[in-house]
Amino acid sequence: MPANYFPAEESGVKTGGIQVIPITTPKGKFNVWTKKFGNNPKIKVLLLNGGPGATHEYFECMESFLPQEGIEFIYYDQLGCGNSDNPRDTSMWSLPRYVEEVEQVRQALNLTKDNFYLLGHSWGGILAAEYAFKYQKNLKGLIISNMMMSCPAYGRYADEVLAKQMKPEVLKEIRQIEAKKDFSNPRYMGLLEPNFYAEHLCRIVPNPEPVRRSLGKLNQSLYVTMQGPSEFGISGKLTTWDRTKDLPQLTIPVLSIGGKYDTMDPAHMAWIATQVKQGAALICPKGSHMSMYDDQQTYMTGFVKFLKAVDDGSFKAGTNL
């Protein structure tokens, strides 16, 4: 019933489910922004945006699918993103610190092993996986969306598979710009957007408005520090991150989502589901890195099916959703 999904549970002045959470870091206290959408005591999904450095806003498509299923979800801008504080300190852009931030957010929102589902997309998938390796006792389920569990393998896929799909003259010019580290040259994105992003990042051109709005606010300092200058391969702090051998440690239900045309290798993303104790794979046949937009029905149907199956105990490992 809508009355149960949208209860008037906030006391005092109503803010539409927004809760600003103070977090403690090695560099002092900062505030991060969250917004709860709906109410379901049994299924609460915390969304971890990608980038790194984008915002929660590209997840707004969830509003067209999850409320009608009665699923509660929580927008959250990580530190340095969107509506949250930006310390402007690159030493803060570190994976272990972000893991502890997610744990502080979980505690503040009273999410528990009986209701807490974590969805991480792209960089958020790295963060969600890393959180689960340390804190899976707090999770009911994990969704790794459009992310491989090895950045070296992601880099190889970009070089050995995706680069070879480009026109040779386009690739040559991109590599020349990269060799000079001339990343502010407008020609660089001018080449990548039609030849790489429109093929592998989001196949809807122009991009849907929430995607444009979110990526338009990208924290460049955070993005370049962690990822490198573009989505075409990786060269930042995350370059050597690889958790493939640790996947069997994950015992909670895990859904690995990918797209056939993704910046990530779909075979690897399907393989993730075979390495965890209770895995399922959802490879979107029309989807790219933003499969929640360019193969939306497949993505949302499988995602909802996973949440409901874990919730009612019918989830079976090894299924392809």
Side-chain angles (χ1 to χ4, degrees), residues 27 86-93 221:
K27 296 288 185 81
N86 180 3
R88 300 182 191 284
D89 179 348
T90 54
S91 71
M92 302 282 282
W93 314 145
S221 154

Side-chain angles (χ1 to χ4, degrees), residues 80-286:
C81 299
N83 299 322
S84 294
D85 286 351
N86 180 3
R88 300 182 191 284
D89 179 348
T90 54
S91 71
M92 302 282 282
W93 314 145
S94 92
L95 187 48
R97 194 209 59 73
Y98 272 115
V99 168
E100 298 314 313
E101 179 183 315
V102 173
E103 173 59 6
Q104 291 180 61
V105 168
R106 179 197 71 81
Q107 291 174 15
L109 295 173
N110 298 315
L111 307 173
T112 72
K113 67 179 186 341
D114 300 318
N115 58 27
F116 177 29
Y117 296 80
L118 188 61
L119 181 149
H121 173 257
S122 192
W123 139 256
I126 293 179
L127 179 53
E130 203 66 32
Y131 176 87
F133 284 121
K134 186 167 184 184
Y135 290 116
Q136 68 175 324
K137 65 183 186 299
N138 300 329
L139 281 167
K140 181 93 185 236
L142 173 67
I143 303 95
I144 298 168
S145 179
N146 308 86
M147 189 65 225
M148 294 165 69
M149 289 293 100
S150 164
C151 286
Y154 158 42
R156 283 195 300 276
Y157 185 69
D159 285 342
E160 294 169 13
V161 179
L162 299 183
K164 288 177 180 166
Q165 295 173 9
M166 283 185 181
K167 294 177 187 141
E169 64 274 17
V170 169
L171 181 62
K172 185 180 174 190
E173 193 175 348
I174 288 170
R175 293 303 192 210
Q176 285 170 344
I177 294 170
E178 289 177 338
K180 293 179 192 156
K181 298 202 175 336
D182 187 16
F183 299 115
S184 59
N185 184 337
R187 182 75 180 146
Y188 185 55
M189 290 311 289
L191 288 166
L192 282 176
E193 278 174 359
N195 295 289
F196 185 76
Y197 284 44
E199 293 291 326
H200 304 295
L201 193 75
C202 183
R203 293 168 73 82
I204 301 168
V205 180
N207 292 164
E209 194 276 339
V211 177
R212 291 205 309 273
R213 179 157 33 95
S214 177
L215 298 183
K217 297 176 183 177
L218 188 78
N219 180 338
Q220 209 61 30
S221 154
L222 173 48
Y223 179 79
V224 173
T225 301
M226 300 293 272
Q227 162 76 26
S230 82
E231 292 294 296
F232 189 28
I234 187 155
S235 58
K237 272 189 189 179
L238 295 168
T239 302
T240 58
W241 183 82
D242 188 328
R243 282 293 213 156
T244 47
K245 290 186 175 64
D246 302 318
L247 288 169
Q249 295 173 22
L250 296 179
T251 56
I252 52 170
V254 176
L255 174 62
S256 176
I257 306 179
K260 180 182 176 182
Y261 301 100
D262 212 316
T263 52
M264 305 286 161
D265 179 1
H268 177 108
M269 291 182 285
W271 171 84
I272 290 169
T274 69
Q275 299 303 295
V276 296
K277 290 282 190 294
Q278 300 187 72
L282 173 64
I283 304 301
C284 302
K286 297 176 191 160

